[in-house]
């Protein structure tokens, strides 16, 4: 076994050991129920032997959020299936349906994706608080199928891909979401969620995994209708650690930034503000380690919303599409090898919007 593999294995054991020793309120343990009723419990990420394992030196996956169960969502899922991605990544806000009907949406997904492309879940605000179903129920009918996942599936988990000689660590987090059984999950310096995220990133770097991609339902910088709902602290953590790519949903549009970076002229990225010094590169052909690209892909099927091109944060964005700007449903297809991370927006219906970008290893 190579030194990088030994380091990765040791760090995984360390993280799992620390998870098992944490109190029930820890993000790596099952969050306790609160209030007078009985809350369903989230499934801990695991991987039965029959589940899919992305193999080879390349990892390819499709990411989108904000689906529903209408014609546009069906077209997006059909396009994912046709893309031959190894798996799909749901960036939150799943069915928009009634509580208790989660299995119907899971069947809808399976009918369009087929048995060979699992959709792996991250909660959005519509299922974290139970208004449109429970993330735990969705996780039960679309369970974890990527071997070696650690954490609480659907809420906060990570996985290294492929399992042997990984080129990618994919980290899923839930800053700013209110969970029905455990309240709001804040990610601020010194708390358990923030520390879990920092450890997941740092241990990937220490293990020599080339690429780190983080997914979080709520964006901070945006040209849509929302404010910085997750809070700026976690966004600045991701920038400080030079995470390569961050994926979001929530806003029903597509928006992708330039490569952003902290530095002497940009000590932090502030909400409702922009600074030229925070932009590291603008040509869509980036070098890893120079900064972070943020992509919101809320184009999974729900009706699209307007993009505000006059927003003060608009200078951070290189490409965007919404109801008033070439409205197009689709997903971001991401291909990761040891040398490069390539991403392309794949159209599923509507307009003809296109976007692509590449990060290269130094």
């Amino acid at each position: 076994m190579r030194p990088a593999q030994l380091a990765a294995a040791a760090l995984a054991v360390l993280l799992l050991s620390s998870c098992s020793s944490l109190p029930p309120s820890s993000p790596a343990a099952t969050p306790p129920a609160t209030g007078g009723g009985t809350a369903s419990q989230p499934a801990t990420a695991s991987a039965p032997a029959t589940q899919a394992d992305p193999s080879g030196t390349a990892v390819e996956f499709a990411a989108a959020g904000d689906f529903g169960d209408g014609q546009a969502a069906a077209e997006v899922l059909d396009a994912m299936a046709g893309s031959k991605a190894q798996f799909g990544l749901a960036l939150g806000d799943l069915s928009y349906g009634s509580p208790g009907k989660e299995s119907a949406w899971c069947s809808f997904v399976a009918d369009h994706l087929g048995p060979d492309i699992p959709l792996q879940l991250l909660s959005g605000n519509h299922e974290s608080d139970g208004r449109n179903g429970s993330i735990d129920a969705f996780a039960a009918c679309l369970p974890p199928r990527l071997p070696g996942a650690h954490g609480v599936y659907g809420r906060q988990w990570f996985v290294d891909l492929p399992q042997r000689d990984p080129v990618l660590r994919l980290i899923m987090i839930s800053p700013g979401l209110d969970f029905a059984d455990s309240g709001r999950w804040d990610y601020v310096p010194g708390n358990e969620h923030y520390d879990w995220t920092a450890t997941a990133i740092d241990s990937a770097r220490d293990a020599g995994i080339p690429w780190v991609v983080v997914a979080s339902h709520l964006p901070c910088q945006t040209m849509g209708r929302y404010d910085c709902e997750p809070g700026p602290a976690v966004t600045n953590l991701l920038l400080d650690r030079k995470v390569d790519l961050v994926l979001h949903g929530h806003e029903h549009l597509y928006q992708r930034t330039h490569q952003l970076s902290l530095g002497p002229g940009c000590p932090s990225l502030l909400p409702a503000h922009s600074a030229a010094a925070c932009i590291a590169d603008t040509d869509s052909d980036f070098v890893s380690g120079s900064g972070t690209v943020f992509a919101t892909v809320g184009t999974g099927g729900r009706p699209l919303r307007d993009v505000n091109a006059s927003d003060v944060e608009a200078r951070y964005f290189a490409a965007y599409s919404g109801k008033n700007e070439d409205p197009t449903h689709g997903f971001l297809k991401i291909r990761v090898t040891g040398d490069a991370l390539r991403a392309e927006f794949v159209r599923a219906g509507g307009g003809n919007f296109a976007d692509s970008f590449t990060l290269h290893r130094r």
Side-chain angles (χ1 to χ4, degrees):
M1 186 178 285
R2 298 186 308 185
Q5 292 175 268
L6 288 169
L11 284 159
V13 170
L14 177 61
L15 281 167
L16 284 173
S17 299
S18 65
C19 288
S20 64
S21 64
L22 289 168
S25 61
S26 165
T30 300
T34 58
T38 300
S40 58
Q41 298 300 310
T44 300
S46 60
T50 58
Q51 293 177 337
D53 181 9
S55 59
T57 57
V59 175
E60 292 186 327
F61 64 98
D66 306 86
F67 291 94
D69 61 359
Q71 180 61 33
E75 291 173 350
V76 170
L77 293 169
D78 288 343
M80 283 186 177
S83 76
K84 306 302 181 183
Q86 293 164 337
F87 63 95
L89 191 62
L91 302 173
D93 287 0
L94 306 176
S95 73
Y96 291 81
S98 301
K101 296 184 177 180
E102 294 89 344
S103 61
W105 189 78
C106 293
S107 296
F108 167 77
V109 169
D111 288 345
H112 290 278
L113 279 185
D116 298 327
I117 304 178
L119 187 68
Q120 302 295 267
L121 303 183
L122 175 66
S123 182
N125 54 292
H126 280 268
E127 50 276 340
S128 66
D129 61 10
R131 81 181 86 167
N132 292 124
S134 163
I135 184 55
D136 304 336
F138 286 113
C141 55
L142 289 174
R145 288 177 57 188
L146 299 176
H150 307 284
V152 181
Y153 176 68
R155 303 185 183 209
Q156 183 171 270
W157 58 280
F158 75 84
V159 65
D160 295 336
L161 300 167
Q163 274 195 292
R164 187 172 68 178
D165 297 328
V167 296
L168 167 67
R169 175 165 290 182
L170 181 60
I171 303 170
M172 316 286 277
I173 58 175
S174 294
L177 293 188
D178 289 295
F179 287 97
D181 57 0
S182 55
R184 179 182 169 91
W185 282 28
D186 288 315
Y187 286 63
V188 294
N191 83 351
E192 56 197 8
H193 300 297
Y194 185 99
D195 290 347
W196 185 96
T197 304
T199 299
I201 298 168
D202 294 345
S203 60
R205 300 302 193 197
D206 292 343
I209 298 174
W211 302 99
V212 175
V213 174
V214 173
S216 159
H217 178 65
L218 303 175
C220 184
Q221 275 65 37
T222 178
M223 298 171 67
R225 63 167 59 179
Y226 296 110
D227 297 323
C228 181
E229 294 179 286
V234 66
T235 300
N236 283 290
L237 169 66
L238 304 180
L239 285 162
D240 178 70
R241 297 305 204 270
K242 298 187 185 299
V243 167
D244 299 292
L245 173 64
V246 181
L247 301 171
H248 298 296
H250 195 46
E251 296 279 18
H252 297 181
L253 47 79
Y254 177 88
Q255 55 185 8
R256 191 264 300 173
T257 69
H258 302 296
Q259 192 177 42
L260 306 181
S261 180
L262 304 182
C266 179
S268 64
L269 207 64
L270 301 175
H273 178 79
S274 65
C278 297
I279 302 173
D281 195 349
T282 62
D283 62 8
S284 301
D285 192 25
F286 307 120
V287 176
S288 67
S290 298
T292 302
V293 177
F294 295 81
T296 298
V297 197
T299 52
R302 293 295 289 178
L304 300 175
R305 297 176 183 149
D306 287 346
V307 176
N308 180 8
S310 62
D311 190 284
V312 68
E313 295 172 334
R315 72 188 302 172
Y316 288 148
F317 290 91
Y320 48 86
S321 167
K323 181 180 178 181
N324 59 338
E325 293 282 351
D326 198 1
T328 307
H329 284 98
F331 62 91
L332 196 65
K333 186 174 182 182
I334 299 160
R335 175 181 171 86
V336 185
T337 66
D339 296 327
L341 184 157
R342 295 181 171 86
E344 177 186 7
F345 182 83
V346 177
R347 174 194 176 276
N352 295 295
F353 175 74
D355 182 42
S356 62
F357 58 94
T358 302
L359 289 90
H360 299 280
R361 294 284 292 169
R362 288 186 183 276

